[in-house]
Amino acid sequence: MAVTATRAKFGVFFLGILGIVLLVIGIAALSLLPIIFNAKLQENLVLQEGKETYEKWKQTPIPVTFKVVLFNITNPAEVVKGKLPSVEEVGPFVFRQYRSKDVLSWDHEDLTVTYNDLKRYEFVEEQSANMSSKIYSLNLPLQGILMFIKKLPYFPRSLIIPGLEGILKNYEEHVFSHRTAKELLFEGYKVDLIQDLVDLASAFVTVPEILPNNTFGFLYGKNNSGDGIFTVYTGLDNIAKYSQIVQWNNMSRIPFWGNEYCNMMNGTDGSQFPPPIQKRDILYVYTPELCRSLS
């Protein structure tokens, strides 16, 4: 009986020591696991040539589905007379968006990379509405012209405004345009009125380019083009800075808004975010089309 009791005590003691050892190992593992995990992230996720993730960052392997819905004004004649517009959705027009990055330079002191973010669109006909559908929409080039004239100095404005109505009739420009979805999106359409007005105003003031090639389209010139030059952190020194925007078009702040917070460029370009991401995290994306950071 004495031997059995001794063995039992030894067994309890051994199990106690084993439990303590396992507890210490468990605590150590829980403490070390985040460190090991972050080290692996740092090793594999940073923007550095030769890394597998770098190649996927540079050339996104899976296209993004890009859908556009246009609004057709069904009562344009009544709206001109003062009635409220009635609109209907036309679409969607579906595209596959392929994203790639043309790397321009590396800064090994600040640990940043500078690139042009390129986008290519492929039309997905079988999932889309007819691109030849004609749509009544607000004549935005005309609105732009009117805003431009309104900002001119008094003398040139006084010369242009009296003849404006006749000019608009001559060019058959109206409050609403009637164009195909193809023209309104990527193909665009010529606005001949703009060049003549620019030539007239240029005698008095310096006129910036209003429309490229005097052509308007919501997405005209966007296919196979970039959204500007981005500079972002590589994450080599701190994974929390990974892909965060440092500059866009050589600006650390944009000059478009009258508020310092609106002019901040927060977040990334939207393709990737610093890990780890939690459900409660607020993610910020800088959107060049809107010249704003969105959450």
Side-chain angles (χ1 to χ4, degrees):
M1 291 293 292
V3 174
T4 304
T6 301
R7 286 182 175 178
K9 289 178 181 179
F10 177 77
V12 171
F13 176 75
F14 176 76
L15 289 174
I17 294 297
L18 181 62
I20 292 170
V21 170
L22 291 175
L23 179 63
V24 171
I25 292 172
I27 293 171
L30 285 173
S31 302
L32 291 173
L33 191 60
I35 298 172
I36 296 170
F37 179 72
N38 287 330
K40 283 296 180 183
L41 276 178
Q42 186 97 358
E43 180 184 341
N44 293 293
L45 194 60
V46 295
L47 299 177
Q48 190 176 40
E49 289 179 295
K51 300 286 187 183
E52 182 181 353
T53 50
Y54 167 75
E55 296 303 323
K56 292 178 180 177
W57 171 83
K58 190 176 177 182
Q59 182 79 45
T60 306
I62 301 172
V64 176
T65 299
F66 181 81
K67 295 182 180 180
V68 180
V69 173
L70 297 174
F71 290 91
N72 178 44
I73 300 171
T74 60
N75 60 337
E78 287 83 358
V79 175
V80 172
K81 294 175 183 178
K83 291 191 176 181
L84 292 174
S86 175
V87 297
E88 64 176 359
E89 290 188 7
V90 181
F93 303 96
V94 183
F95 301 85
R96 292 191 187 97
Q97 183 195 85
Y98 295 88
R99 301 183 69 166
S100 61
K101 294 176 174 64
D102 178 23
V103 175
L104 303 176
S105 64
W106 298 85
D107 188 322
H108 298 291
E109 289 186 7
D110 293 337
L111 299 177
T112 61
V113 56
T114 299
Y115 62 89
N116 190 6
D117 189 20
L118 303 174
K119 295 174 183 175
R120 178 173 63 86
Y121 297 88
E122 278 184 7
F123 182 55
V124 186
E125 187 174 3
E126 62 273 15
Q127 298 179 24
S128 303
N130 188 349
M131 287 282 276
S132 297
S133 304
K134 279 210 161 185
I135 293 167
Y136 279 103
S137 64
L138 188 65
N139 189 340
L140 291 181
L142 177 60
Q143 298 299 316
I145 290 167
L146 296 177
M147 289 179 66
F148 170 71
I149 292 173
K150 187 178 179 180
K151 293 179 181 179
L152 287 174
Y154 174 77
F155 180 66
R157 190 170 71 246
S158 65
L159 294 177
I160 294 173
I161 289 177
L164 187 60
E165 186 175 350
I167 294 171
L168 295 179
K169 285 183 179 179
N170 186 48
Y171 284 93
E172 297 184 350
E173 290 287 349
H174 306 284
V175 175
F176 299 105
S177 66
H178 194 211
R179 299 284 178 174
T180 64
K182 184 186 290 186
E183 290 175 308
L184 288 172
L185 295 178
F186 285 100
E187 188 176 273
Y189 60 90
K190 285 282 185 182
V191 186
D192 296 324
L193 168 64
I194 284 183
Q195 188 58 54
D196 287 349
L197 283 176
V198 166
D199 291 341
L200 182 60
S202 295
F204 307 99
V205 293
T206 302
V207 182
E209 183 183 57
I210 297 176
L211 287 177
N213 302 319
N214 296 325
T215 302
F216 174 78
F218 291 111
L219 298 170
Y220 176 74
K222 291 292 185 181
N223 204 358
N224 294 312
S225 70
D227 287 331
I229 307 301
F230 287 85
T231 298
V232 303
Y233 287 114
T234 61
L236 270 168
D237 60 333
N238 184 354
I239 199 64
K241 294 161 64 176
Y242 168 75
S243 206
Q244 294 283 323
I245 294 174
V246 181
Q247 288 187 333
W248 175 73
N249 285 346
N250 296 317
M251 296 181 290
S252 56
R253 284 177 177 266
I254 51 177
F256 308 120
W257 309 99
N259 181 290
E260 62 174 313
Y261 297 104
C262 296
N263 283 327
M264 292 172 66
M265 286 185 285
N266 299 318
T268 72
D269 66 3
S271 59
Q272 292 182 354
F273 298 93
I277 296 173
Q278 308 292 331
K279 284 185 177 182
R280 65 179 180 272
D281 291 344
I282 298 174
L283 305 178
Y284 288 91
V285 175
Y286 176 67
T287 307
E289 291 91 342
L290 299 177
C291 298
R292 284 293 298 271
S293 287
L294 305 176
S295 62

